[in-house]
Amino acid sequence: MAITIDLDGKVALITGGATGIGRATALALVQAGAQVVIGDIDSENGERTAGDIAHQGGIGHFIPADVSKADDVRTLVSGAVARCGRLDFAINNAAADVENIKLADCEDAMFDQVLGLNLRGVFLCMKYEIRQMLWQGHGGVIVNLSSVNAQRAQPLGAAYSASKFGLTGLTLSAAAAYAADGIRVNAVSPGCVETSMMQAKLDLLGVPRSDFEPVASQLGRYAQPDEIASAIVWMCSDQASFAIGSTLAVDGGFLL
């Protein structure tokens, strides 16, 4: 029996929603009936994604935001509610992976940049998203985008790994604290995904795609962004009503 996910009347906020996994998730949520608010520093692609949503008959809004800045996050959440009237789902997806060095060679500024976006940014987003959901009084769902690098050693990415390991702690702590309020907090952990961020990382490492793709998964290929988006949409839906504090690996068996 096919399972249909119906999110009609719901409102989702997605950070990093201009491109890649975020864009695919925005489009998938709209297809399931939700209204979507996109937060990103990339205004050109953010507006393009919102326009594509409107072209498909959905409701999408773009709000420029740097999630490492508290004022931007506060404005993003309040702006989403002002435009759509409520907040049901929050997908914290914005992240950066810019290292190709060992820990002792990592400059303080780079460490602060990566942790500021990938960890502090998620903390700030969750803080204001949870406050809004508590004020509304009808619960909600938060999905944090983790990574396979939260579960393995990465010798040339100490800051990125630290940020994703830390994200696991944030997710579990919030899940335990707010489950009784009807707020489900979980994470989705992608493996290697066909995105500009993935290609930029390979370029930084100097690894040809042809060398890496055969080991990117047990299937010998990258995931497509919509494959990750499908898992996120499921996690938002009532089909995942008993999932609390979980990290769902969608990695094609990469960690095997």
Side-chain angles (χ1 to χ4, degrees), residues 92-114:
N92 297 316
N93 168 69
D97 186 3
V98 295
E99 296 167 272
N100 182 26
I101 48 178
K102 295 180 181 180
L103 186 150
D105 299 315
C106 182
E107 296 292 340
D108 297 356
M110 177 177 285
F111 186 86
D112 291 344
Q113 175 191 353
V114 173

Side-chain angles (χ1 to χ4, degrees), residues 120-209:
R120 185 174 188 271
V122 175
F123 159 73
L124 290 172
C125 288
M126 292 175 70
K127 177 178 179 178
Y128 292 105
E129 292 157 0
I130 289 169
R131 286 182 179 182
Q132 176 63 32
M133 291 174 179
L134 290 172
W135 182 83
Q136 292 172 173
H138 52 64
V141 178
I142 293 175
V143 181
N144 296 325
L145 266 291
S146 186
S147 167
V148 291
N149 292 318
Q151 301 173 63
R152 70 179 190 121
Q154 185 179 216
L156 300 181
Y160 185 80
S161 294
S163 72
K164 293 303 182 179
F165 272 85
L167 180 63
T168 299
L170 281 181
T171 299
L172 293 174
S173 180
Y178 296 104
D181 297 297
I183 300 174
R184 292 193 295 108
V185 184
N186 295 286
V188 168
S189 180
C192 304
V193 186
E194 184 82 53
T195 64
S196 58
M197 180 176 169
M198 182 69 207
Q199 186 58 53
K201 181 66 174 182
L202 290 177
D203 293 343
L204 185 66
L205 295 172
V207 177
R209 177 193 172 110

Side-chain angles (χ1 to χ4, degrees), residues 4-256:
T4 301
I5 294 177
D6 181 4
L7 304 181
D8 188 49
K10 303 294 187 180
V11 175
L13 170 63
I14 305 174
T15 67
T19 59
I21 293 171
R23 170 182 163 83
T25 302
L27 295 171
L29 284 164
V30 168
Q31 290 172 3
Q35 299 180 49
V36 173
V37 177
I38 297 162
D40 207 301
I41 60 172
D42 184 350
S43 294
E44 180 179 354
N45 284 312
E47 293 285 7
R48 181 174 66 88
T49 298
D52 289 344
I53 289 170
H55 183 70
Q56 295 176 14
I59 298 175
H61 305 274
F62 172 71
I63 300 175
D66 179 346
V67 299
S68 68
K69 299 177 179 178
D71 287 345
D72 278 24
V73 175
R74 189 184 302 111
T75 299
L76 175 62
V77 174
S78 63
V81 175
R83 286 165 174 76
C84 300
R86 56 190 287 156
L87 179 64
D88 300 290
F89 314 130
I91 296 90
N92 297 316
N93 168 69
D97 186 3
V98 295
E99 296 167 272
N100 182 26
I101 48 178
K102 295 180 181 180
L103 186 150
D105 299 315
C106 182
E107 296 292 340
D108 297 356
M110 177 177 285
F111 186 86
D112 291 344
Q113 175 191 353
V114 173
L115 270 290
L117 177 59
N118 296 5
L119 188 58
R120 185 174 188 271
V122 175
F123 159 73
L124 290 172
C125 288
M126 292 175 70
K127 177 178 179 178
Y128 292 105
E129 292 157 0
I130 289 169
R131 286 182 179 182
Q132 176 63 32
M133 291 174 179
L134 290 172
W135 182 83
Q136 292 172 173
H138 52 64
V141 178
I142 293 175
V143 181
N144 296 325
L145 266 291
S146 186
S147 167
V148 291
N149 292 318
Q151 301 173 63
R152 70 179 190 121
Q154 185 179 216
L156 300 181
Y160 185 80
S161 294
S163 72
K164 293 303 182 179
F165 272 85
L167 180 63
T168 299
L170 281 181
T171 299
L172 293 174
S173 180
Y178 296 104
D181 297 297
I183 300 174
R184 292 193 295 108
V185 184
N186 295 286
V188 168
S189 180
C192 304
V193 186
E194 184 82 53
T195 64
S196 58
M197 180 176 169
M198 182 69 207
Q199 186 58 53
K201 181 66 174 182
L202 290 177
D203 293 343
L204 185 66
L205 295 172
V207 177
R209 177 193 172 110
S210 58
D211 288 353
F212 189 71
E213 189 165 21
V215 297
S217 71
Q218 294 292 320
L219 303 175
R221 66 172 178 85
Y222 295 108
Q224 294 301 307
D226 59 359
E227 293 179 290
I228 312 303
S230 294
I232 295 169
V233 172
W234 175 80
M235 193 66 86
C236 288
S237 77
D238 288 342
Q239 303 296 333
S241 59
F242 213 57
I244 296 173
S246 299
T247 295
L248 175 62
V250 189
D251 66 352
F254 178 80
L255 288 172
L256 295 177

